[in-house]
Amino acid sequence: MNTTEIKEWLREVEHPAKGDKNIAELGMIENIEIVDGKVAVTLAFEKHRDPLAEYLIGSTKATIIRHAGPGTQVEVKTVIRNEAPKKKPGLDLGFEELENVKHVIGIASGKGGVGKSTVSVNLAVALARLGYKVGLADADVYGPSVPKMTATEAEMPDAFQEGEKEVIMPLEKYGVKWMSIGYFAKPEQALIWRGPMACNALKQMILQVRWGELDFLLIDMPPGTGDIHISLVHDIPLEGAVIVSTPQDVALADVEKGVNMFRNESVKKPIFGLVENMAWFTPAEHPDERYYIFGQGGRLRMAEKYQIPLLGQIPIVQSIREGGDNGEPAALSSRPDGLAFIALAEKLAETLK
Ligand code: ADP
């Protein structure tokens, strides 16, 4: 017995749903092997659930045994091929899910580490505390932080098919609707996403989510000012942006890049204002003291040079960092740092009235 012979025998196995053509002429024999006297045949099917698969597997076995003699060991494996490729999600997404969202606002920063995500999460919570309906899409594909900052890492958003489209339900906590790429990808996976793939992923996190009725949808944008941002501001109906920075001059140089990005000819989106994070340090035991450890001149120069209003100032305090680490945003509290976020939220809401 050799594989050519076996292939000949298998011409007797006919597919009843294909005009009685046999599995050899239908090209369904993917592979035949004989190992230690055992025959292993792999049959290829076009569909996941060919209703005749079991019948064809049995018939293949029986035919080989009939020719090779009783006691012949036969194993039949199956593979699926030529399945119509699934439509890539995230490509042709419309704006339907944003129809009932009043303001879509990007939270941007010229570089990472200035507290953009901290400000986004706390601003969302603060707006909710003021009674607004708020959602936050964590579009920071390179370092999603919403799951950790809201202690929802263990949760998985529901998703369902609606016609051609897959819809994702946001999670709800602290009165805010949250969505993050972090719920779907492990941190090390997120890092390998490049260019178009990252763009599609983050568009899904915004356009495929059933946000429902919202006053504000905040988009925590990836840090920096690369291609991904240009693509994002083109593909998402952003109304405008809020820029987060720290007071150091170096950080301000990066703010300039961010400002130029939004004011670029091809983008032209308004900048609603600047949030100065880590504006001063207040020791926990002396709540009335303010130490301007990073200086104070920067924001004034910024305001003058670019005519960008200052929307808020957030102190650098341990409770904000701790709130981020243990998933209880500082904006939930009535401490001075919590109130700083409330003041920021009030100012933003007023600006957008
Ligand atoms: P970005 O999103 O800009 O990369 P993050 O929001 O992740 O920055 O903040 C970076 C780190 O700084 C986090 O550990 C965060 O808890 C801490 N942090 C941010 N803002 C403050 C603040 N005002 N006071 C104390 N810690 C802060």
Side-chain angles (χ1 to χ4, degrees):
M1 157 177 82
N2 60 40
T3 55
T4 318
E5 271 181 289
I6 296 171
K7 194 164 182 183
E8 263 323 294
W9 302 339
L10 292 180
R11 291 189 173 277
E12 294 167 25
V13 180
E14 291 173 348
H15 195 310
K18 303 241 164 135
D20 289 338
K21 281 194 178 143
N22 67 63
I23 58 172
E25 59 181 324
L26 288 169
M28 290 175 68
I29 303 172
E30 181 84 7
N31 192 35
I32 302 174
E33 272 180 332
I34 303 170
V35 183
D36 297 332
K38 273 195 221 162
V39 182
V41 178
T42 306
L43 297 182
F45 290 90
E46 281 172 19
K47 288 184 288 197
H48 249 295
R49 270 175 235 264
D50 189 324
L52 292 163
E54 286 307 319
Y55 163 80
L56 290 169
I57 291 167
S59 186
T60 299
K61 269 189 193 166
T63 303
I64 294 171
I65 292 167
R66 201 167 60 241
H67 284 276
T72 309
Q73 289 193 51
V74 183
E75 186 195 6
V76 181
K77 290 183 272 190
T78 59
V79 292
I80 311 298
R81 74 169 173 230
N82 297 339
E83 219 181 28
K86 287 218 171 78
K87 211 169 145 250
K88 275 220 183 88
L91 297 177
D92 292 323
L93 293 169
F95 297 161
E96 311 87 68
E97 301 300 337
L98 300 178
E99 255 165 27
N100 298 314
V101 178
K102 286 193 194 128
H103 303 287
V104 182
I105 299 158
I107 312 288
S109 67
K111 63 163 190 173
V114 298
K116 172 182 54 58
S117 300
T118 303
V119 169
S120 302
V121 166
N122 281 288
L123 175 57
V125 170
L127 283 164
R129 277 185 72 184
L130 292 175
Y132 294 105
K133 296 196 183 84
V134 190
L136 184 134
D138 178 5
D140 192 343
V141 280
Y142 300 112
S145 40
V146 157
K148 183 169 170 49
M149 288 187 175
T150 55
T152 52
E153 298 107 313
E155 294 187 38
M156 180 61 150
D158 285 334
F160 59 92
Q161 198 73 27
E162 196 175 73
E164 285 276 279
K165 184 169 149 191
E166 196 177 12
V167 178
I168 312 171
M169 295 306 288
L171 296 179
E172 287 195 60
K173 192 170 182 182
Y174 305 134
V176 175
K177 291 182 178 169
W178 309 96
M179 184 46 61
S180 170
I181 195 83
Y183 295 125
F184 304 96
K186 297 193 185 93
E188 62 273 17
Q189 269 177 331
L191 285 172
I192 58 160
W193 291 7
R194 299 262 178 269
M197 216 173 137
C199 272
N200 282 337
L202 64 83
K203 270 185 251 166
Q204 278 184 276
M205 292 303 107
I206 300 165
L207 299 178
Q208 237 170 285
V209 176
R210 180 112 331 147
W211 295 108
E213 216 173 284
L214 291 183
D215 294 303
F216 298 98
L217 174 60
L218 307 182
I219 315 260
D220 183 357
M221 297 181 61
T225 50
D227 290 350
I228 194 168
H229 301 80
I230 305 283
S231 155
L232 188 63
V233 286
H234 278 148
D235 293 342
I236 306 288
L238 271 193
E239 184 177 339
V242 168
I243 295 186
V244 180
S245 181
T246 53
Q248 302 99 311
D249 283 339
V250 264
L252 291 172
D254 288 303
V255 170
E256 288 197 32
K257 281 193 231 152
V259 170
N260 291 335
M261 176 174 81
F262 287 105
R263 291 191 174 163
N264 176 299
E265 261 312 295
S266 76
V267 174
K268 274 202 175 153
K269 296 281 181 193
I271 296 167
F272 300 124
L274 185 73
V275 178
E276 191 184 43
N277 188 30
M278 311 192 193
W280 61 80
F281 169 68
T282 296
E285 57 280 13
H286 298 288
D288 300 327
E289 292 173 12
R290 291 181 178 190
Y291 297 93
Y292 293 88
I293 51 183
F294 296 131
Q296 316 191 45
R299 66 168 181 280
L300 298 173
R301 284 201 298 285
M302 205 66 219
E304 262 171 39
K305 189 166 175 192
Y306 292 104
Q307 304 288 309
I308 301 176
L310 183 67
L311 284 180
Q313 291 178 294
I314 310 296
I316 175 166
V317 289
Q318 196 168 330
S319 46
I320 292 183
R321 209 256 317 136
E322 283 170 355
D325 284 351
N326 61 29
E328 270 189 45
L332 292 167
S333 82
S334 302
R335 295 184 307 260
D337 52 311
L339 299 180
F341 287 114
I342 298 280
L344 166 65
E346 278 169 346
K347 189 82 183 277
L348 178 67
E350 195 182 302
T351 306
L352 291 171
K353 238 182 212 154

